[in-house]
Each structure stands twice: as C-alpha cells, then as structure tokens.
Amino acid sequence: QGCAQKYVVKNYFYYYLFKFSAALGEEIFYITFLPFIYWNIDHSVSRRMIIIWSIVMYIGQVSKDILKWPRPLSPPVVKLEMRTDAEYGMPSTHAMAATAISFSFLIATTNQYKYPFELGLVAAFVFSTLVCLSRLYTGMHTVLDVIGGALISAVLLVLLYPAWDTIDHLLLTSPFCPLLSIVVPLVLCYNYPKLDYYSPTRGDTTTILGAGAGATVGFWLNNQYAVPAYTSENFQLGFPLITSKMLVVMLARFFVGIFIVLLTRRLMKSVVLGMLGYRYKFPIGDLEARRRLEVEVPYKFITYSSVGFSATVLVPLLHGLLGLM
C-alpha cells in the first residue's frame, strides 16, 4: 500500500505519449489551457468551457464516492501513478474532463469561427481518446471506468447545451451571481459525501469549484465594469490568420498571465494555510491537519478562487497596462 510497483519500460514512445496524455487531465493542463483560451482566443468560449468543466468534474467526483467501485488490482496491472490511487475508479474523471473540454471547445467555436468542422471533430476525438487510453496504460482505470466517464460527460454536454446561452447570460448579468457563485460551491464542498478513509477527491473537487467560482465572479465584474460581453468583437480563428506579431503578443500574454496565476496560488496558499494553522493550532507542514474538513475546504477554496479571479480580472488589467491587449 502506497509503494510504487517496480516495472521495466519496453516501449518509450508509448510510455511518454501516455504519461503526457495523462497530464492533459490534471491541474497543470487546466491552469494553463483554460486561461490561455480566455486571454488569447475568446471570452465566451472560455466561460462556457469553465462552467461545463466545473459541473462535469463535480458530478464525476461525487459519483466516484457514491458508487465506491475500486480501481484495478495491482497486480495484475502495473500502476504508474500513486497520488490518486486512494480514489475510487468509476467513473474516470480524466475521461470526463477530456471529453467535456475538447467537445465543448468544438461546440462553442464551430458556430463562431471559420475552420473545417471535420478537423475540429478529429482533434477533439484524438485528444479525448489519448487521455482515455492513458488511464488504461497507467493502470488507473478499467475499460468500463473510461467508457462510463466519457459517456456521462457526453450526456451532460447534450443536456446542458440548450441552456448554455441562458446560463451564460444569467452569470454575466444577474445581481445575485457573485453571491451564488461563492455560496453554492461552498455548500457543495462542505456537504461532500463522507468516506471511511481519506481520499483526495474532496480536495480536488474543492479546487475545481473554487477556481470556477473565482472565474465566474471575474466574468461578472468584467461584464459590469469593463467591457460588456455581448458587445465585444471576435477575431476569426485560424492558423493562417495568426501573424508572427500576433503570435509574439499571444505568448507574451500567456507567460505574463501564468506568472501572475502561479504567484497568486503560491501567495494565497501560504497566507490561508498560515491563518488556518494559527486558528486551529497546527504547523503548516502537518499533512493530517490539512486533510481535516475545516482546514481543507477553506484552504483550497480560497486559494483557487483567488487563482480564478486573478486569471479573469487581474491578468487582463495587467495585459492592458503592458500594452498587450
């Protein structure tokens, strides 16, 4: 339990391909790709992707802890990851996230921008398939876990798509949006299904809902006090139209933004943990104390809601000051 199983890599191409593909369903991908879309492609596309991602991931994480289906036994499988081994297996939230992000991006852009739909469909299918296969290769899920996750995500996309515009409009214009965006996720986090032993699912769910809450408040503030979302003009999406100058500006926005986002995460993590440690009398390095409900939920929610707010409000303001808009 908790010890990495020894293995020999015989095919380095598959090994690195699927290790990389597995990372496309983890925090490092979410914290880079979703803000990149917001800063460089289209605000409306990013908003829809973040809302869908938050809903899909919450349902997936809760479903795991309600169903309590175990992960594949090792042996016979070889597990290449250990962090999420304490979680249950069904459904695969990697498969859910990959399906939701790739196909929501396709659906959100296909009616707004001129590019071959077939190309976008193939890209979405390849992206989600690679992530799904990576969960089998790394030994973290069964075929049923992966298929179940992808199907649940697809059904949620179909059900939510007719309400996309309505939800987006309400989140941007309703005076109750900031309050509900904070209160509802917090209530869901504090009432997360209880387990007999510690699992990172509650903490990961709090991270996702916190980031979504902070971003949603940022969307609302931008619409109220910066540029109204429904009056902004979009540029045509397509690689032939991206000049070298545009590429430099896009990369500058990205690196400036990521620096601020990571700085925000580091600072808020230290500050919030320090305050909670003082309140509940535990050292910051005490892992067991950080897993307690009264510590884990506020620590992760405040930290990542600050990250979401920073990405949608502070970073665009800095872009403007630096002449990168």
Side-chain angles (χ1 to χ4, degrees):
Q1 294 272 341
C3 297
Q5 185 176 349
K6 292 183 178 181
Y7 56 87
V8 176
V9 179
K10 294 183 178 179
N11 190 313
Y12 282 95
F13 174 76
Y14 288 136
Y15 178 78
Y16 288 114
L17 173 65
F18 291 124
K19 289 285 281 185
F20 173 77
S21 299
L24 297 178
E26 298 172 357
E27 181 184 349
I28 185 64
F29 175 73
Y30 304 143
I31 208 170
T32 53
F33 180 73
L34 294 175
F36 179 87
I37 299 298
Y38 187 77
W39 299 329
N40 289 306
I41 304 298
D42 188 287
H43 287 188
S44 67
V45 172
S46 178
R47 290 197 306 270
R48 286 162 172 77
M49 291 177 68
I50 289 173
I51 296 304
I52 292 294
W53 170 67
S54 301
I55 294 172
V56 164
M57 289 298 287
Y58 174 76
I59 292 175
Q61 296 285 71
V62 169
S63 297
K64 281 186 179 185
D65 291 336
I66 291 176
L67 294 174
K68 298 183 179 180
W69 287 20
R71 289 187 182 270
L73 293 176
S74 176
V77 304
V78 176
K79 294 185 178 180
L80 305 186
E81 298 177 13
M82 295 308 298
R83 179 188 174 274
T84 58
D85 192 39
E87 297 180 6
Y88 290 107
M90 177 68 172
S92 166
T93 46
H94 272 71
M96 292 184 71
T99 303
I101 287 176
S102 58
F103 283 94
S104 63
F105 180 80
L106 173 66
I107 295 168
T109 57
T110 188
N111 294 325
Q112 298 188 49
Y113 302 107
K114 294 179 180 179
Y115 67 92
F117 175 77
E118 294 79 7
L119 179 62
L121 184 62
V122 169
F125 180 78
V126 169
F127 178 89
S128 55
T129 299
L130 282 174
V131 175
C132 289
L133 290 176
S134 75
R135 307 316 289 158
L136 303 178
Y137 182 88
T138 56
M140 301 310 295
H141 286 285
T142 65
V143 174
L144 186 58
D145 295 342
V146 170
I147 293 176
L151 287 178
I152 292 171
S153 192
V155 170
L156 289 172
L157 277 172
V158 171
L159 294 176
L160 291 169
Y161 176 70
W164 269 18
D165 291 338
T166 302
I167 295 172
D168 187 52
H169 183 73
L170 287 174
L171 291 178
L172 291 174
T173 60
S174 173
F176 302 105
C177 171
L179 178 63
L180 292 177
S181 296
I182 299 298
V183 172
V184 172
L186 270 177
V187 170
L188 293 176
C189 293
Y190 274 107
N191 290 277
Y192 193 82
K194 291 181 174 59
L195 297 177
D196 297 330
Y197 62 91
Y198 178 80
S199 165
T201 48
R202 185 184 64 203
D204 291 345
T205 304
T206 305
T207 294
I208 293 163
L209 293 184
T216 302
V217 173
F219 298 151
W220 185 86
L221 283 174
N222 288 337
N223 188 64
Q224 299 296 316
Y225 301 105
V227 180
Y230 293 102
T231 62
S232 61
E233 296 181 359
N234 299 323
F235 59 83
Q236 295 294 323
L237 179 67
F239 287 107
L241 297 179
I242 298 179
T243 65
S244 58
K245 182 179 179 180
M246 288 175 60
L247 183 61
V248 170
V249 172
M250 291 170 69
L251 290 175
R253 287 178 190 157
F254 175 72
F255 286 115
V256 168
I258 287 299
F259 174 78
I260 298 300
V261 164
L262 295 179
L263 181 62
T264 300
R265 184 179 66 169
R266 184 176 183 84
L267 289 176
M268 292 306 299
K269 179 179 179 179
S270 299
V271 170
V272 175
L273 271 179
M275 293 175 64
L276 290 170
Y278 178 78
R279 169 67 177 82
Y280 294 106
K281 311 300 181 186
F282 68 87
I284 292 179
D286 188 342
L287 183 60
E288 289 301 317
R290 287 163 56 174
R291 289 175 170 179
R292 286 155 42 188
L293 174 68
E294 66 272 20
V295 175
E296 184 176 59
V297 170
Y299 147 53
K300 297 215 167 183
F301 191 87
I302 294 172
T303 297
Y304 283 90
S305 61
S306 300
V307 167
F309 184 83
S310 174
T312 53
V313 176
L314 300 183
V315 170
L317 287 175
L318 184 58
H319 286 164
L321 292 173
L322 296 175
L324 297 174
M325 298 300 290

